Amino acid sequence: MHKRTIAEPYKIKVVEPLRMTTRHYREEKIREAGHNTFLLRSEDVYIDLLTDSGTSAMSDNQWAGMMLGDEAYAGSRNFYTLERAVQEIYGFRYIVPTHQGRAAEHITSQLRIEPGQYVPMNMYFTTTREHVERAGGIFYDCIIDEAHDPANPHPFKGNVDIAKLDRLVQEKGRDAIAYLSIAPCVNMAGGQPFSMDNLHRVAAWAGRHGIPIIFDATRAVENAYFIQQREPGYAGKPVREILQEMMSYGEGCTMSSKKDNLVNIGGFIATNNEEFFTRAKEMVVVFEGLHTYGGLAGRDMEAVARGIYEMVDDAYIASRVRQVEHLGGRLREAGIPIVEPIGGHAPEDALVDRPDGGHAVFVDAKRFLPHVPQDEFPAQTLAAALYVDSGVRGMERGIVSAGRDPTTGNHRVPKLELVRLTIPRRVYTNLHMDVVAESCITLYEGRKAIRGLKMVYEPPELRFFQARFEPIIP
Ligand SMILES: *Cc1c(COP(=O)(O)O)cnc(C)c1O
């Protein structure tokens, strides 16, 4: 028996027209953009799969809440709504709003790290690590080894390796550790979840040593969904309860509301530690705004609050992950090489790039374009070709993103050379996903004609955002 379709648990009330362009027009636009999808104008893009950050569609209920924005400088009623939402859904007592996730990380890192202290994390996230290092902290990777192997089928590659934590304590002592920074659905491992069992054991370890856990809760709902789907004992348990159980192991969290919370901007710090809360309130005034708005308008806080209740709807989160599976499945059926890490689902279900734990599909550009050597930027080439073919925008995650080794000046050559197709929440239908799939299939059939690129402008930092390329003409 085939698996039953799970349709979107919502219908469409407002539409935003998409601009259809001609191939000729897109050829011109990609040339103007230096063959870099980051440099395209959004209005020239048909289906935008660049990122899922801040690109969610809000509900009618969220938009209605925007009209109830209380834009008082102090004590906005929307702050209290947000506070209640965080208390009820995440289970933390105190909350400090911030304009987005990295602002919450900035304040937390500055207040909780003594220079020279270690912050163990299950892999790193760019902004999280940056703020830890700015505060004088040292990033320590405590994720299980399986996470670094894209082909490994482990269902919970976000798990923490407790032996690595033991080693750190033995070598440096307990006081050398500021806190454990634990991220659900680890972004840089491709969105890999941890298991509740692992979290339980990590929390017991942390409790024994008196070390707090501060979550990067950005993708906690997606992690809760994978626990429901994959972990014995959790089938049928509402994601809302799983999320609460998960958060109960932490002292608090930092949050980028631009992901799980279904809004376009926002973030917060939440904690049960009253002293930390007091100090965070003192600091947020300096960097963000008064502690009852933290750089957000009242209406934005209302939208976050309402998004927090909507995100824990089981039907919503299931349909979201199913949409990613739909796209991954169509690519796989056509024999297109995608990263296949294989989660805990039944084999017929393991269609998706698990490394991205339900928010993206990765096309393997090395295997897609085997005739394009890595120093001719196969993923950059493929992302540009996809745009020209259909107006679909993806992102390079390969040698361009990896940058140069600061000591040798050579390209860092990553094992993975990928085009990331990231699916915004509640924005596109599965027919849009079919358009994306069919464009990939067309390119795959004509792949031998696709030629590589040469880089003609290279910024010194984070070059993938602004680098420019030209086709190699033989
Ligand atoms: C996006 C993200 C952040 C940073 O949040 P911003 O809102 O972009 O500042 C931090 N951690 C993780 C895991 C993220 O995905």
Side-chain angles (χ1 to χ4, degrees):
M1 160 96 175
H2 275 302
K3 269 188 11 176
R4 300 284 290 260
T5 300
I6 296 183
E8 295 80 2
Y10 47 83
K11 59 184 177 177
I12 296 165
K13 170 146 45 189
V14 176
V15 298
E16 178 182 347
L18 293 170
R19 184 137 161 259
M20 313 289 283
T21 55
T22 63
R23 183 184 181 91
H24 177 74
Y25 180 86
R26 293 190 295 271
E27 281 169 351
E28 198 175 299
K29 291 300 157 189
I30 199 71
R31 201 163 40 242
E32 285 171 20
H35 295 260
N36 184 345
T37 54
F38 279 103
L39 300 178
L40 290 167
R41 289 184 184 216
S42 152
E43 62 182 9
D44 294 329
V45 172
Y46 174 33
I47 299 172
D48 201 347
L49 305 186
L50 191 72
T51 176
D52 67 332
S53 178
T55 54
S56 299
M58 294 206 299
S59 65
D60 56 354
N61 182 49
Q62 285 175 295
W63 280 108
M66 298 282 281
M67 285 304 290
L68 302 176
D70 171 3
E71 307 307 341
Y73 191 90
S76 160
R77 92 175 147 242
N78 312 112
F79 167 75
Y80 297 101
T81 313
L82 174 59
E83 184 183 52
R84 195 165 57 248
V86 172
Q87 288 166 344
E88 284 181 9
I89 300 298
Y90 288 89
F92 296 118
R93 193 169 321 147
Y94 306 113
I95 170 198
V96 178
T98 60
H99 81 278
Q100 60 186 82
R102 65 198 71 183
E105 292 169 347
H106 168 224
I107 291 169
T108 302
S109 302
Q110 291 293 328
L111 293 176
R112 300 301 294 268
I113 301 168
E114 302 286 338
Q117 275 188 317
Y118 289 84
V119 180
M121 299 185 214
N122 50 344
M123 209 169 260
Y124 72 95
F125 183 72
T126 50
T127 58
T128 321
R129 184 172 67 183
E130 176 70 27
H131 282 296
V132 163
E133 289 174 351
R134 279 171 177 262
I138 303 163
F139 160 73
Y140 179 83
D141 190 2
C142 64
I143 204 164
I144 57 173
D145 288 339
E146 287 88 337
H148 293 282
D149 174 4
N152 191 294
H154 197 295
F156 291 108
K157 287 161 89 175
N159 279 354
V160 171
D161 185 340
I162 294 174
K164 290 182 185 171
L165 295 176
D166 276 331
R167 210 173 307 143
L168 184 65
V169 167
Q170 273 155 26
E171 281 172 19
K172 308 289 176 185
R174 179 259 164 266
D175 292 340
I177 299 175
Y179 56 87
L180 301 185
S181 172
I182 305 296
C185 278
V186 183
N187 193 325
M188 298 307 276
Q192 291 296 322
F194 54 63
S195 70
M196 195 72 85
D197 174 62
N198 181 254
L199 179 59
H200 179 79
R201 286 183 296 109
V202 171
W205 181 92
R208 271 201 307 282
H209 291 88
I211 298 170
I213 292 176
I214 299 180
F215 290 107
D216 174 350
T218 299
R219 296 173 193 284
V221 177
E222 285 166 4
N223 200 127
Y225 175 74
F226 285 116
I227 287 173
Q228 184 195 62
Q229 296 297 306
R230 300 176 183 178
E231 189 160 350
Y234 287 89
K237 195 164 185 175
V239 290
R240 180 174 172 152
E241 288 173 27
I242 298 172
L243 175 67
Q244 243 171 35
E245 181 181 343
M246 190 192 289
M247 292 294 117
S248 73
Y249 290 114
E251 181 205 278
C253 69
T254 57
M255 181 67 195
S256 169
S257 296
K258 299 174 74 172
K259 322 299 182 8
D260 270 354
N261 293 169
L262 295 164
V263 291
N264 307 118
I265 195 72
F268 57 82
I269 297 167
T271 183
N272 290 327
N273 178 333
E274 191 178 353
E275 190 201 328
F276 171 48
F277 172 57
T278 302
R279 296 185 62 208
K281 276 193 294 184
E282 291 160 8
M283 193 167 168
V284 80
V285 186
V286 180
F287 289 95
E288 298 284 296
L290 195 69
H291 61 279
T292 55
Y293 76 87
L296 293 172
R299 55 179 173 268
D300 293 327
M301 292 191 284
E302 188 65 31
V304 175
R306 293 179 182 218
I308 286 173
Y309 291 107
E310 292 175 13
M311 74 182 182
V312 289
D313 172 14
D314 287 279
Y316 151 69
I317 190 71
S319 82
R320 163 157 178 73
V321 176
R322 282 286 189 96
Q323 182 167 57
V324 181
E325 292 177 345
H326 177 79
L327 176 59
R330 289 230 34 201
L331 297 185
R332 178 200 242 189
E333 262 168 39
I336 292 177
I338 57 175
V339 179
E340 295 251 26
I342 318 138
H345 286 244
E348 79 277 7
D349 214 352
L351 300 175
V352 187
D353 158 30
R354 281 306 160 207
D356 230 53
H359 66 276
V361 175
F362 287 91
V363 180
D364 184 338
K366 252 192 208 171
R367 283 190 286 147
F368 198 112
L369 300 174
H371 55 286
V372 177
Q374 205 169 359
D375 62 3
E376 293 179 9
F377 314 110
Q380 190 79 32
T381 301
L382 184 56
L386 183 63
Y387 172 72
V388 170
D389 184 70
S390 58
V392 171
R393 170 155 71 174
M395 180 197 292
E396 192 262 10
R397 282 279 109 138
I399 189 167
V400 182
S401 297
R404 285 183 190 274
D405 186 312
T407 48
T408 65
N410 295 329
H411 292 303
R412 287 195 185 108
V413 182
K415 264 202 285 196
L416 298 177
E417 181 70 27
L418 308 172
V419 175
R420 189 180 86 175
L421 304 171
T422 323
I423 303 183
R425 294 169 181 79
R426 303 195 296 206
V427 172
Y428 294 113
T429 67
N430 280 0
L431 285 178
H432 289 115
M433 296 304 112
D434 289 342
V435 168
V436 175
E438 285 160 21
S439 181
C440 291
I441 293 166
T442 302
L443 291 173
Y444 194 58
E445 284 165 355
R447 62 192 179 275
K448 294 211 173 72
I450 300 174
R451 296 225 187 73
L453 297 168
K454 58 175 189 262
M455 204 179 332
V456 293
Y457 166 66
E458 179 177 0
E461 309 288 341
L462 299 176
R463 63 183 184 176
F464 58 95
F465 284 126
Q466 289 157 338
R468 302 184 68 86
F469 302 82
E470 283 173 7
I472 293 174
I473 295 160

